[in-house]
């Protein structure tokens, strides 16, 4: 086997190994991103539920405040 063919074979093996390693690394990163996406979605859903709870609480408090204000205004008119 000539020196040139050994160099070409070595280079081909090196490129092939680098390609396989690169593909595996990319797959691992993609899996991690997908997993993080699930956690972000869960956190987003939790924040949305908390925001809805806070909104309902604010609506309830606003109704209470308006009722008290109407009661006070009604007693002042009498």
């Amino acid at each position: 086997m000539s020196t040139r063919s050994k160099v070409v074979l070595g280079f081909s093996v090196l490129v092939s190994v680098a390609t396989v390693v690169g593909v595996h690394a990319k797959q691992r990163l993609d899996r991690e991103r997908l997993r993080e996406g699930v956690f972000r979605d869960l956190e987003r859903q939790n924040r949305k539920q908390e925001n809805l709870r806070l909104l309902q609480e604010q609506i309830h408090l606003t109704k209470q405040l308006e009722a008290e204000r109407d009661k006070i205004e009604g007693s002042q008119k009498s």
Side-chain angles (χ1 to χ4, degrees):
M1 197 182 228
S2 70
T3 304
R4 178 179 270 173
S5 61
K6 289 179 185 178
V7 169
V8 170
L9 178 62
F11 181 72
S12 297
V13 169
L14 182 65
V15 169
S16 297
V17 169
T19 301
V20 169
V21 169
V23 167
H24 284 292
K26 175 137 177 47
Q27 285 177 341
R28 190 176 329 115
L29 286 173
D30 289 344
R31 272 189 254 119
E32 287 176 11
R33 279 193 212 125
L34 286 173
R35 194 172 299 122
E36 289 171 2
V38 170
F39 291 129
R40 281 193 307 265
D41 286 346
L42 291 173
E43 181 61 31
R44 190 177 304 125
Q45 288 174 356
N46 289 338
R47 280 194 316 262
K48 184 177 179 179
Q49 288 176 351
E50 179 64 16
N51 287 341
L52 287 173
R53 186 190 66 76
L54 289 172
L55 178 62
Q56 291 299 323
E57 186 178 326
Q58 286 296 320
I59 290 170
H60 178 70
L61 290 173
T62 301
K63 286 180 182 179
Q64 279 183 339
L65 180 64
E66 288 173 349
E68 288 177 15
R69 185 180 62 203
D70 290 344
K71 183 179 175 183
I72 290 172
E73 287 176 357
S75 66
Q76 288 178 353
K77 288 182 182 179
S78 298

